């Protein structure tokens, strides 16, 4: 917003850090408004980001590095977004396990403009339960109220946590931890990644009941609104979770058609002839985008190979012998070898995964999908 680059900030901070530090310690620091940036959504509309200036991002990151190690261990094990050591792939894998266990109706909740509608007073009350230093409380409140610069004008902000700052993901998890705890209290099977929450039940009727009661909880207790047009109770194959759809028996997950179309559209956009960029620049732009897809594709290929071997092992006694030879415990090997489950589903069985870890395929010369930068 202030036009300062990362490189400019280095010299600026050498000169002004003592004054900034004094303001932080005195509780008088005032963040600058964030810069409004709009990025298109794949299904239409735009996502509004609020990008802080470099100095404010530095301070937010410092806050995050102190607060996250203290708060994160208290969050739900069913929350996967914006947390150290957790990922979208873990969320999808857990969702797939729920479906395989027979919870094959999904309550797919979409929160309408979540990041724009977080109530500041409710959020700060939750922060105050965990932070006693009033200067820190005042600083976080100042970041929330900093305002937005759009078309040259600064507008006040009375609700929401602007997407684009390092602190916003942690604050959003703090708000939605109340939802996680409520779902746990009810004994529901769910996965949440940021504001994407899927709950898995055994019947359509149970799903409709859960959808109605959870929607009331979000509205009455958290002051959030469920987007009825984008939320639904349905079979897993009919819905998309983090870019994937799960088969109704949980045997496999697929890249959702919309996600694949988005991938191709993004590649076309990056490699468009009219962009006027050199080939090295285009390759540099492609790198970060492809890395995210690489992990999924590698895992899918290895699973296909596990399925291939499981089929080659042919029968229960031979499968038991092969699993034991690869270090699987006797009981687990016996359960897997005697299972009548199909080949693809067995390729994801814990015994098969333990017997055929990544290093097995590495030793056979299976190349990784490396991206040369």
């Amino acid at each position: 917003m202030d036009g300062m680059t990362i490189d400019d900030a280095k010299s600026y901070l050498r000169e002004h850090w003592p004054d900034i530090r004094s303001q932080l310690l005195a509780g008088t620091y005032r963040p600058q408004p964030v810069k409004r940036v709009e990025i298109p959504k794949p299904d239409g509309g735009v996502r509004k980001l609020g990008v802080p200036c470099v100095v404010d991002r530095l301070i937010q990151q410092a806050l995050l590095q102190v607060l996250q190690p203290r708060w994160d261990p208290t969050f739900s094990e069913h929350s996967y977004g914006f947390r150290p050591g957790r990922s979208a792939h873990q969320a999808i894998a857990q969702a797939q396990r729920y479906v395989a266990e027979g919870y094959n109706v999904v309550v797919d909740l979409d929160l309408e403009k979540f990041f724009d509608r977080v109530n500041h007073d409710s959020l700060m009350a939750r922060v105050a339960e965990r932070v006693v230093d009033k200067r820190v409380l005042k600083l976080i409140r100042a970041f929330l109220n900093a305002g937005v610069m759009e078309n040259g004008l600064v507008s006040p902000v009375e609700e929401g946590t602007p997407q684009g700052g390092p602190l916003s993901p942690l604050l959003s998890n703090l708000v939605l931890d109340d939802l996680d705890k409520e779902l746990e209290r009810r004994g529901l099977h769910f996965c949440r990644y940021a504001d994407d929450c899927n709950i898995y039940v055994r019947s359509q009727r149970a799903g409709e009941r859960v959808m109605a009661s959870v929607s009331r909880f979000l509205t009455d207790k958290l002051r959030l609104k469920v987007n009825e047009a984008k939320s639904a109770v349905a079979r897993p194959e009919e819905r998309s979770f983090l870019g994937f759809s799960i088969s109704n028996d949980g045997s496999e997950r697929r890249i959702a058609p919309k996600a694949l179309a988005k991938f191709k559209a993004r590649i076309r956009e990056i490699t468009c002839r009219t962009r006027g960029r050199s080939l090295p620049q285009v390759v540099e732009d492609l790198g970060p985008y492809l890395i995210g897809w690489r992990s999924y594709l590698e895992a899918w290929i290895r699973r296909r190979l596990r399925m291939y071997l499981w089929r080659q092992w042919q029968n229960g006694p031979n499968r038991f012998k092969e699993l034991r030879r690869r270090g699987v415990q006797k009981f687990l090997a016996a359960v897997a070898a005697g299972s009548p489950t199909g080949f693809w589903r067995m390729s994801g069985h814990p015994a098969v995964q333990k017997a055929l870890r990544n290093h097995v395929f590495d030793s056979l010369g299976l190349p990784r999908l490396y991206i040369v930068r």
Side-chain angles (χ1 to χ4, degrees):
M1 194 277 294
D2 58 3
M4 186 185 297
T5 67
I6 298 287
D7 290 334
D8 295 337
K10 294 176 182 178
S11 57
Y12 176 86
L13 287 168
R14 287 192 190 100
E15 181 180 351
H16 295 281
W17 180 249
D19 184 47
I20 295 171
R21 182 178 182 275
S22 297
Q23 292 176 35
L24 289 168
L25 291 173
T28 59
Y29 182 81
R30 289 288 174 269
Q32 296 188 51
V34 296
K35 181 180 180 180
R36 172 67 76 218
V37 177
E38 295 182 350
I39 57 174
K41 292 184 177 181
D43 54 352
V46 295
R47 177 173 284 109
K48 294 184 177 182
L49 304 184
V51 183
C53 68
V54 175
V55 175
D56 286 344
R57 261 183 283 169
L58 172 70
I59 295 169
Q60 283 196 36
Q61 181 65 29
L63 276 171
L64 177 69
Q65 288 176 199
V66 173
L67 297 178
Q68 189 164 51
R70 301 181 184 191
W71 295 4
D72 192 79
T74 70
F75 290 156
S76 169
E77 64 176 296
H78 305 285
S79 165
Y80 294 88
F82 309 130
R83 297 184 61 190
R86 289 175 168 258
S87 68
H89 288 286
Q90 291 174 341
I92 297 159
Q94 180 58 64
Q96 188 177 359
R97 283 192 286 271
Y98 287 146
V99 176
E101 289 167 7
Y103 298 90
N104 52 10
V105 172
V106 59
V107 181
D108 186 356
L109 287 165
D110 184 276
L111 297 180
E112 189 171 298
K113 297 181 178 178
F114 166 71
F115 286 92
D116 298 331
R117 290 188 169 167
V118 172
N119 182 274
H120 287 178
D121 291 335
S122 297
L123 171 56
M124 289 309 303
R126 291 172 175 81
V127 176
E129 292 174 358
R130 298 167 178 255
V131 174
V132 296
D133 192 324
K134 288 184 170 51
R135 296 170 299 181
V136 175
L137 296 174
K138 195 173 181 181
L139 181 59
I140 293 175
R141 171 76 80 164
F143 278 122
L144 293 174
N145 294 337
V148 174
M149 169 74 81
E150 194 168 12
N151 298 322
L153 298 175
V154 176
S155 305
V157 175
E158 297 179 353
E159 61 180 2
T161 60
Q163 296 184 72
L167 200 56
S168 292
L170 180 64
L171 296 178
S172 68
N173 270 333
L174 182 61
V175 172
L176 289 174
D177 189 56
D178 284 11
L179 171 63
D180 297 340
K181 295 298 192 290
E182 175 65 16
L183 298 181
E184 288 176 348
R185 186 186 68 78
R186 299 184 187 188
L188 293 170
H189 298 76
F190 70 98
C191 297
R192 182 178 65 79
Y193 190 96
D195 56 339
D196 287 331
C197 184
N198 276 10
I199 306 168
Y200 296 87
V201 295
R202 291 187 183 275
S203 70
Q204 183 75 17
R205 185 176 178 182
E208 290 169 358
R209 186 172 64 248
V210 168
M211 174 67 83
S213 62
V214 172
S215 296
R216 284 196 302 272
F217 174 83
L218 287 164
T219 302
D220 298 343
K221 301 295 184 182
L222 300 187
R223 304 188 196 181
L224 299 171
K225 184 178 179 182
V226 173
N227 186 329
E228 294 182 5
K230 293 185 177 180
S231 301
V233 178
R235 301 282 277 179
E237 281 186 3
E238 300 168 13
R239 305 298 294 177
S240 170
F241 182 45
L242 302 176
F244 295 86
S245 61
I246 300 171
S247 62
N248 291 336
D249 63 356
S251 61
E252 63 178 328
R253 58 179 182 261
R254 312 178 186 100
I255 300 173
K258 279 187 179 180
L260 189 57
K262 180 184 175 184
F263 171 79
K264 291 179 178 178
R266 180 62 178 147
I267 298 299
R268 291 190 191 101
E269 179 185 332
I270 294 173
T271 57
C272 180
R273 295 190 304 273
T274 59
R275 287 186 74 206
R277 294 171 67 81
S278 68
L279 183 60
Q281 289 174 320
V282 171
V283 171
E284 185 175 351
D285 291 343
L286 278 170
Y289 191 66
L290 295 178
I291 285 171
W293 285 84
R294 178 185 65 186
S295 298
Y296 166 74
L297 292 172
E298 283 190 330
W300 182 80
I301 290 167
R302 286 193 294 269
R303 186 164 180 182
R304 292 287 303 178
L305 293 174
R306 290 187 185 103
M307 181 184 74
Y308 184 87
L309 264 182
W310 188 252
R311 193 167 192 163
Q312 274 197 341
W313 291 346
Q314 292 186 337
N315 55 52
N318 193 49
R319 287 169 179 162
F320 177 80
K321 181 185 73 175
E322 293 290 348
L323 291 173
R324 289 288 292 148
R325 187 166 69 86
R326 288 167 170 80
V328 178
Q329 300 94 323
K330 188 174 182 179
F331 176 75
L332 186 60
V335 170
S339 174
T341 305
F343 298 124
W344 175 254
R345 191 165 171 182
M346 282 306 299
S347 68
H349 192 282
V352 180
Q353 290 186 328
K354 184 172 182 179
L356 300 169
R357 294 190 186 278
N358 296 354
H359 69 82
V360 172
F361 303 110
D362 292 339
S363 68
L364 293 171
L366 178 69
R368 295 292 185 102
L369 302 180
Y370 291 117
I371 294 174
V372 180
R373 299 299 304 278

